[in-house]
Amino acid sequence: MVSDYWDYVARKPRHAAEGGEAFEVCVERVPGSMPTVFSAHLTNLSREGLGFCANVPLEIDEWLTLKIQAKLSDFRLVLPATVRWRKKDSDGTWTFGCKAERLIDWESLGEMFLQDALVAELEVG
């Protein structure tokens, strides 16, 4: 396989989600999609997007609004995003990768670290 070094594009660091119990994730789909609202489990987060698991299959390029709410504080992040990839897991759930429609601000990222919801950079393989 031929590789051109000059085609390399650096990827923003992704952070693993550890504190799944500290946050609730609500996924809202466009009206008419069923179910319209469901809960999910955050798996990772970067300034440009996030990963999550859910029991509901979503379509590639589907527009979503993700609402991430801390259970023990007033922290709330509302994030419009688009599904970029999906994978059906062996247990019947789905894992998704989404691109955020705007960069996640540093304050929100920092707050999630302070509440032990995120850990150091996720290893990308």
Side-chain angles (χ1 to χ4, degrees), residues 48-122:
E48 294 181 340
L50 67 150
F52 67 90
C53 295
N55 292 324
V56 177
L58 301 170
E59 298 298 322
I60 303 295
D61 293 330
E62 185 170 349
W63 288 68
L64 308 168
T65 300
L66 293 110
K67 296 180 178 180
I68 303 170
Q69 173 74 47
K71 292 181 182 178
L72 300 177
S73 75
D74 60 355
F75 174 80
R76 184 173 189 219
L77 176 63
V78 177
L79 190 63
T82 305
V83 176
R84 290 294 179 221
W85 61 264
R86 68 182 187 166
K87 178 184 79 157
K88 188 168 187 177
D89 300 320
S90 60
D91 63 358
T93 62
W94 291 83
T95 301
F96 301 97
C98 294
K99 180 174 178 17
E101 296 303 313
R102 62 174 164 73
L103 286 178
I104 297 171
D105 60 86
W106 291 110
E107 292 80 11
S108 295
L109 200 62
E111 186 64 30
M112 292 183 79
F113 272 103
L114 289 173
Q115 295 192 34
D116 293 325
L118 299 177
V119 295
E121 191 172 332
L122 181 67

Side-chain angles (χ1 to χ4, degrees), residues 4-49:
D4 187 352
Y5 175 79
W6 300 110
D7 288 336
Y8 175 78
V9 176
R11 185 175 193 167
K12 303 281 188 208
R14 287 184 291 166
H15 305 282
E18 286 289 318
E21 311 78 41
F23 286 86
E24 294 175 345
V25 179
C26 177
V27 180
E28 293 183 359
R29 302 170 81 182
V30 294
S33 300
M34 295 304 289
T36 304
V37 178
F38 60 91
S39 62
H41 175 75
L42 187 66
T43 58
N44 67 70
L45 184 78
S46 75
R47 290 202 66 216
E48 294 181 340

